[in-house]
Structures are given as C-alpha cells and as structure tokens.
Amino acid sequence: MYQYDTYDQSAVDARVEEFRDQVARRLSGALSEDQFKPLRLMNGLYLQLHAYMLRVAVPYGTLSGQQMHMLAHIARKYDRGYGHFTTRQNIQYNWIKLDEAPDILAELATVEMHAIQTSGNCIRNISSDQYAGAAADEVADPRPWAELLRQWSSFHPEFSYLPRKFKICVIASAEDRAAMRLHDIGIELVKRDGVLGGRIFAGGGMGRTPMIAPEIKDFVAADDLLSYLEAALRVYNRHGRRDNIYKARIKILIHEIGAKEYKRQVEEEFAHVKTLGIDPPLAEFDRIAAFFAPPAWEQGLSDDLDLSDPDFRLWVDQNVIAHQTPGYAIANISLKPIGGIPGDASADQIDLMADLATRYSFDELRVTHAQNIVLPHVKKADLYTIWQALDEAGLATANLDLISDIIACPGLDYCSLANARSIPLAQKIGQRFADPERQRDLGELKLKISGCINACGHHHAGHIGILGVDRKGTENYQLLFGGSGAEDVSLAKIIGPGFSEDGVVDAIEKATDVYKALRTDGERFVDTYRRVGMDPFKEAIYG
Amino acid sequence: MGDPLTFRTDGAHEEPAVTLDSFLDQSNATAVRLEPGEDARALLPYLDRLALVEVAFPAFRDGRGYSAARILRESGYTGELRAQGDVLVDQLAYMRRCGFDSFAPEKPLDPAVVKTSLERYEHPYQATIDGRAPIWKLRHG
C-alpha cells in the first residue's frame, strides 16, 4: 500500500487546519453559507435532511487494517455507531456535527486519510478495480496509476471550480469490475509492444442523462498521462456548460460537440501542454509503484479446500474469487444481509474486518463500488477460520452478484435530493428472494436502486434497475431492464408504467419467472433479456 | 473599490481595462478585460503590448478564469494578471498558482486571513507556471 512521505502528510495536515479555520469563520459569520458551501463540499461535508453527512475518501478503494479501525472509531465517537460504504468506494457518516468535522479530519490525518475532494465540482476520489494486485486477469496493478492521479488531482489549482464534479476510474483488466465507462474519464491500462499505457474513454456517466463513454485515445504512455488528462480537463473547464447544472457534466459537452471534435481539441491542447514539463519523471511513477509491490507470498501452498461444511461451501462458491497466486484467494465480504441496509456496517463489524485483514490478508482491505468489502489476499487454508469469524458477526452472507446483493442509494431516508426511499425497498426485495437456493438458481443478477434521477444507486447500469420518483406526492418506482456497468456495458431501459413499493417487488418476481422459463444453458438474466427483448417480460408484468 | 492587492514589484497598472471586443478593434490599448466566456487565446498575438489583463469572476464558482490565466502565462505573458470580481480569500492560493498576481475583490479581504491562506500549503503537487517546485521534483531532485 502507498505510504505518505512528509510532503503528503504536510499537505493533508494543512488541509485539516485550513478547514478548521474555514469552519471557525463560518461559525463566526465571516463566511456566508453560500461561500462556505463549496469549501465544506471539497472536504466531503454535505448538509442532508437531518444532519451533516461526511464522506471520507478511500483512494481507489484500498485501505489498511489500521485505517479501517479508524473508520470504526469515527463511527463510534462521532456518529451513531455505523458507517455506510458507497458506490464510489468511499465511506459516509450520516450524523455528523459541523463543529466536530475538523476534529474528525484531524483524526483521519493520523492514519493518512482525508475527505479531500469527496464532493464539490472538482476531481473526485479516483476509483479502481477492487481486485487490483490480486486479480488473475490484470495486465498490471492499476493502483500506482490511481495514486499518481490522486496526487495530481489533489488541490489542483486550475480544476477546483469545474462546471461540475469529475470522476476518474482506472482499471487494468478486460473484465470491468468498476463501471469504468460510466465515468467522466475511464482509463483501461493496456500493453502495447510490451509498454504499458492507458486507453482513454471520456464522457460517460449516469445521472439524469446516462451516457457510455466513447474511446477518445487508444494509447497514452505513462509519461504523457498527466499532460493528456490536463489537456482533457482544460477543454472541459473552458467549454463545459455552466448555464444549467443538469447539463454541466463533461458527457453533455462531448455529446453536443461529438467525441471526434472533443478529441481534436484535446489533442491540440495536449500538443501545447506537453511542452510545459508538467509530467513527473518515470522515477516518480516507480517510487509509487514500489509501494504496491506484491506482498511476500508463501510458496508451495496447497490449493485444496475442505468444503465439508455445507454453509462454508456455499460462501466459497459465491463470494470467493480466484487469486493470481497459487494457494491464495480473494474473499468478498457482503454488506447485504437479507433485510439489512446495503453498504452499512457497524463499528464492531468494521473493527472485525480490520482485524481479519491484519491477520489474514497482508493488512489490506478494499471497498467495492457494489458496496461490499474485500479481503484481497487470503490463504485458502485460512478461509474457513475467516468465514467462521464473519458468520458470527453477521458478515457471511453468500450472495455476491446475486439478486439480493443490491446497490442502493441512501434515498429519502437521508438524502435531501431523493424523491423516494431506496433502503426499505432493497430490504423488501431481499426478503422476497431470501431463499439462498432460489437466489443461486437465478444466478448473476445485478439489481440497483436509485431514489431519484441523479442515479447514485446506478439504476441505469442494473440488469434490473429501479428508479424512485415522486408521483403526485406518493413514492412510485419505475422498473428498468438490461443495463450493465461491466465490460458488456449498456444502459437499462424503462419497461413501462411505474409501481408502488410492493408492486415493484411483485413485478421483479414475475420478471425472474419469465427469465427462468426462457433461459438457455448458462444465460444470465441480462443475457436472456437481450436475446428475447422486452415483450415477454412486459406481457407477464402488465398483461 | 480600493487599490488592487498586488504581488508585483511595479504595482498595479492604472489604465482602465477595455472589453476584449474593443481591444481587438483598436491598436493602442494596453489593458483588457476578459469575461468568463471569452477566449484568452485571442490575446496571444498582442501579449507584448499588454500591461494588464483583468479576468472577470462574476461568480467565484465559475472557474474558467483559472484556465485563462494559465494559458496566458504559459504563452509567455509577463504583464499584470488581475482577478476581479467575486474573488474570495479561499480561492487566492489557487489563483496565484495559475499566474494571477493582482486581485481586485468586490468585497475587501482581511489581510491577516489572506496571509495565512497564501502560506498554508508549503509545497504543491502540480507543476504550474508559478515556478514553485512540485512535490515530485523535490522528491527526485
């Protein structure tokens, strides 16, 4: 894992003091709420329905046991004993007091963490593949690239007042586990003639106008990457729309002028920017990469597993993924127990996951965009012990990528933008499909719920997506089919008129019945839907 | 409005700035004002005779002026570069890093807070035209 040097630490410490000063000026009245708002947002502090919400950055979703313990400590001391892991691989606390926020940031800084640029119209936390450094299919570890981008984007003087927020994702596998093409800029690391570089996509996003990012550059070498991104951002900063907040994301600019014209402008700007000498030397990349060197794997480990305990076997089948090193595995911890709140974990659970990481996973954890936690490097021989500890803590739900592994936004229970509640609906769907056998029979089925058109719950990318709207004062849910945030990226389509909360659960059940009747061998729900189209589903649901 | 806050040894330029349109129409003005939607690159042929470029910030949230400033400095402009309008103390450090060297805020700034804000971050991560060594350079000499 990356470790701060004195430069990194002093920047984060300075930020804490800056924010302490800004909060003091706000409390004294020297700053108006209008002036304070963008400053607190750039430190992750939102004003929600009931309280302030603090979003803490987990850069590219990677954190240590010590950092995870700190997240538990903050949940206990400053919140109500729990935290909420987000689709941006971060964590949010929903019950924060403004005057305590600087103290929280100070505590985070002691473990090399912060809330810098987790909100605001700036470059947000860089997201990445949760299996980075562990996945069997990666061409390289994407995290050194993500860390390079974290430093470049932190306190960027030119790009802190962009037209709108800006999200960047870096992956390094053909299999996309991070919804890369639904980011403002997506980077897929590829090898060309033995040299590693980035394939660049731009203008993706969800929100009220979902778009899949088109490719704008097939290869950018490592030592050109920052210049290239600087050029891409500058074109956006200068020409992105600022007349309408809903048309201000880069996807609208690229949609309006076309990917080809955007690319032409970026190339022209790049030709200029590249002369300025803003790219760090490769020695800096190497310095960062050294922190992500593979841990000292034990050699000669057995790949055998004793699967005689049937519950353990189910968990292994569903939640454990192949590792790049013999004898090791990637263990997913589902934060989606049946009837629970997707992405929530109690302080005790967070502490337990931290302890397991320290003991069994080279002190590393990952947060996934699907709001789960990963122990990336565990010995297969330790899996049973880990599972027992998770099971005792209510963390061993064996439902990764199944219908109850739901992404849901906080919805109307917390969010001031929401039109409908997401959490109770997620709980109802989980309960309806609670039978593990039934879920496994339905196979991979990514269900995603947003409580408003801003799409924080990624409903456009759901095999089944649900969008909560407000219809004449009542919560109403629209159903969408056929989306994907993976390498088969696609946008889901609304199937017809909306439903009540119970009605939408019934409709999903009918859709899964249609799938079971029509599927061919090995077809997932989304494959069947793509093959047969919407009609058979509509007929069953509305007919 | 009082004298602009300057970080230049030659002080603030006193000639009032004209609009970009009128600047491009006449040959003798040495001070021009850029609105957020105007293209800083239109000034590149005239950098030698310009003594002041005033970049308007009608609302602090509109960050186009940061790019305008960097483009001018990156192209060799050495005259006064002034941020005018809704210029707040919490934006000053970034503006300095983009090449602004004078400020004409609509609402007066507290000099003590200005000083603290500008000195807060010892080293920047990015290389910009302000000449400060980025952290990566300090790391690798």
Side-chain angles (χ1 to χ4, degrees):
Chain A
M1 275 186 60
Y2 186 72
Q3 285 174 358
Y4 285 6
D5 64 5
T6 54
Y7 296 114
D8 299 307
Q9 188 66 50
S10 81
V12 169
D13 291 343
R15 180 62 153 214
V16 174
E17 288 318 306
E18 181 180 45
F19 190 58
R20 198 182 286 287
D21 173 58
Q22 288 164 344
V23 168
R25 281 189 283 136
R26 173 69 194 115
L27 293 174
S28 77
L31 278 176
S32 70
E33 175 54 25
D34 186 48
Q35 293 167 341
F36 179 60
K37 187 177 171 190
L39 305 176
R40 67 168 162 76
L41 287 179
M42 275 188 240
N43 288 286
L45 199 62
Y46 281 76
L47 191 53
Q48 295 287 52
L49 279 179
H50 312 293
Y52 281 98
M53 177 272 277
L54 179 70
R55 182 181 295 151
V56 175
V58 181
Y60 33 91
T62 293
L63 72 178
S64 69
Q66 185 196 27
Q67 291 174 324
M68 191 77 162
H69 278 304
M70 176 56 80
L71 298 182
H73 166 72
I74 288 166
R76 266 191 208 100
K77 184 168 170 189
Y78 301 100
D79 202 279
R80 296 185 177 178
Y82 56 91
H84 178 74
F85 291 94
T86 80
T87 58
R88 294 276 306 143
Q89 302 176 283
N90 293 321
I91 185 169
Q92 292 178 182
Y93 297 101
N94 284 313
W95 304 96
I96 295 300
K97 296 181 189 75
L98 175 60
D99 58 345
E100 289 183 343
D103 294 334
I104 301 174
L105 297 187
E107 295 220 41
L108 287 169
T110 64
V111 295
E112 305 182 3
M113 292 188 87
H114 58 73
I116 295 163
Q117 292 169 211
T118 55
S119 179
N121 294 336
C122 49
I123 303 169
R124 302 289 189 87
N125 183 33
I126 311 295
S127 54
S128 188
D129 186 339
Q130 66 269 19
Y131 301 156
D137 62 347
E138 68 184 16
V139 298
D141 188 333
R143 292 173 300 162
W145 298 68
E147 174 60 26
L148 192 71
L149 296 183
R150 182 191 75 84
Q151 297 188 27
W152 161 75
S153 61
S154 293
F155 321 115
H156 198 294
E158 186 177 341
F159 305 134
S160 290
Y161 295 91
L162 293 167
R164 201 71 181 85
K165 58 188 168 185
F166 204 92
K167 301 173 181 177
I168 301 177
C169 176
V170 192
I171 65 169
S173 305
E175 189 178 324
D176 181 359
R177 291 174 283 261
M180 181 271 290
R181 288 185 69 189
L182 296 169
H183 284 73
D184 296 281
I185 284 188
I187 302 171
E188 182 190 354
L189 299 183
V190 289
K191 264 197 179 137
R192 181 192 271 183
D193 305 327
V195 180
L196 205 57
R199 187 178 168 206
I200 314 284
F201 299 85
M206 292 191 245
R208 54 189 75 201
T209 320
M211 304 252 183
I212 295 167
E215 179 187 294
I216 58 155
K217 185 79 177 168
D218 61 350
F219 191 84
V220 176
D223 48 349
D224 284 341
L225 184 70
L226 295 193
S227 280
Y228 194 84
L229 293 180
E230 191 111 346
L233 265 292
R234 179 174 285 178
V235 171
Y236 169 57
N237 190 43
R238 299 185 75 209
H239 302 301
R241 286 180 62 175
R242 291 176 187 262
D243 59 324
N244 179 341
I245 185 179
Y246 303 121
K247 296 184 185 299
R249 295 284 290 271
I250 192 175
K251 62 192 173 189
I252 304 293
L253 172 69
I254 293 177
H255 182 69
E256 286 179 353
I257 68 174
K260 208 172 145 193
E261 171 60 15
Y262 174 71
K263 177 184 169 139
R264 188 195 65 76
Q265 293 186 23
V266 172
E267 295 285 333
E268 194 173 289
E269 193 69 52
F270 173 70
H272 159 70
V273 171
K274 189 57 198 172
T275 64
L276 303 171
I278 65 161
D279 287 290
L282 282 173
E284 173 63 0
F285 180 81
D286 293 342
R287 184 192 73 89
I288 292 172
F291 287 107
F292 297 98
W297 310 120
E298 270 181 52
Q299 302 299 314
L301 292 177
S302 163
D303 274 317
D304 293 342
L305 259 183
D306 177 358
L307 295 171
S308 51
D309 181 330
D311 289 335
F312 173 60
R313 183 189 191 107
L314 289 179
W315 182 76
V316 169
D317 283 351
Q318 203 58 49
N319 288 31
V320 174
I321 309 285
H323 195 279
Q324 56 184 230
T325 308
Y328 286 87
I330 302 170
N332 282 275
I333 303 172
S334 168
L335 298 184
K336 318 290 176 61
I338 300 299
I341 297 175
D344 268 22
S346 70
D348 289 347
Q349 288 176 324
I350 296 172
D351 273 334
L352 174 82
M353 293 187 276
D355 286 335
L356 291 174
T358 305
R359 251 184 107 176
Y360 300 111
S361 185
F362 292 94
D363 202 30
E364 260 194 54
L365 303 110
R366 308 291 172 76
V367 184
T368 82
H369 88 276
Q371 305 180 280
N372 293 317
I373 301 294
V374 175
L375 297 174
H377 310 300
V378 298
K379 275 193 273 188
K380 284 185 179 163
D382 291 329
L383 278 170
Y384 190 66
T385 314
I386 293 169
W387 172 77
Q388 285 177 309
L390 290 173
D391 194 35
E392 202 167 305
L395 288 169
T397 312
N399 64 349
L400 187 75
D401 293 338
L402 300 181
I403 192 169
S404 63
D405 183 10
I406 297 169
I407 290 181
C409 72
L412 200 52
D413 292 297
Y414 293 100
C415 179
S416 50
L417 301 173
N419 297 122
R421 289 168 300 161
S422 305
I423 294 169
L425 178 57
Q427 291 168 324
K428 274 191 183 171
I429 296 168
Q431 278 150 355
R432 178 72 63 97
F433 291 92
D435 176 8
E437 201 49 55
R438 185 179 183 191
Q439 288 189 52
R440 276 196 306 283
D441 175 53
L442 291 174
E444 181 186 300
L445 208 173
K446 297 190 179 180
L447 195 147
K448 312 188 185 199
I449 308 172
S450 303
C452 81
I453 54 176
N454 290 310
C456 297
H458 292 192
H459 65 275
H460 300 298
H463 295 169
I464 294 178
I466 299 171
L467 166 63
V469 296
D470 175 277
R471 213 183 64 182
K472 297 173 191 152
T474 15
E475 292 161 272
N476 186 266
Y477 295 92
Q478 297 185 351
L479 203 47
L480 302 89
F481 290 163
S484 171
E487 62 282 2
D488 62 343
V489 62
S490 60
L491 299 174
K493 288 201 176 73
I494 292 180
I495 64 155
F499 305 89
S500 67
E501 189 176 288
D502 288 324
V504 79
V505 184
D506 293 339
I508 291 167
E509 192 164 34
K510 285 176 188 158
T512 58
D513 290 342
V514 171
Y515 159 65
K516 281 186 354 190
L518 299 182
R519 66 182 168 190
T520 58
D521 267 1
E523 256 187 356
R524 303 169 300 164
F525 176 90
V526 71
D527 300 324
T528 303
Y529 168 80
R530 285 171 178 162
R531 179 172 57 81
V532 305
M534 199 182 277
D535 287 347
F537 292 93
K538 282 182 76 163
E539 208 169 292
I541 291 168
Y542 297 105
Chain B
M1 192 168 68
D3 289 337
L5 178 65
T6 71
F7 294 83
R8 293 179 64 85
T9 49
D10 56 357
H13 187 71
E14 288 184 0
E15 178 192 354
V18 300
T19 64
L20 179 64
D21 281 350
S22 39
F23 177 83
L24 296 174
D25 283 347
Q26 58 185 304
S27 58
N28 57 353
T30 61
V32 64
R33 176 179 167 90
L34 268 187
E35 299 297 333
E38 292 175 338
D39 184 3
R41 290 203 162 97
L43 294 174
L44 297 191
Y46 314 102
L47 295 186
D48 285 348
R49 72 171 160 96
L50 272 171
L52 167 67
V53 179
E54 183 176 272
V55 178
F57 286 87
F60 70 87
R61 282 192 183 82
D62 189 332
R64 284 177 284 188
Y66 296 86
S67 289
R70 282 191 75 186
I71 285 168
L72 291 170
R73 289 297 190 215
E74 287 163 4
S75 305
Y77 175 64
T78 55
E80 181 178 344
L81 191 52
R82 183 185 297 169
Q84 187 281 328
D86 193 13
V87 174
L88 307 173
V89 71
D90 295 288
Q91 281 90 52
L92 284 193
Y94 287 167
M95 288 182 168
R96 288 285 288 138
R97 298 210 50 226
C98 288
F100 286 105
D101 55 9
S102 85
F103 302 94
E106 263 154 18
K107 289 182 197 134
L109 305 177
D110 179 338
V113 184
V114 168
K115 189 169 183 301
T116 318
S117 298
L118 289 178
E119 291 170 0
R120 172 103 50 203
Y121 292 93
E122 199 180 350
H123 301 294
Y125 276 115
Q126 311 80 5
T128 66
I129 207 71
D130 68 350
R132 290 171 67 191
I135 287 171
W136 54 257
K137 192 156 216 162
L138 299 170
R139 283 175 178 148
H140 298 281

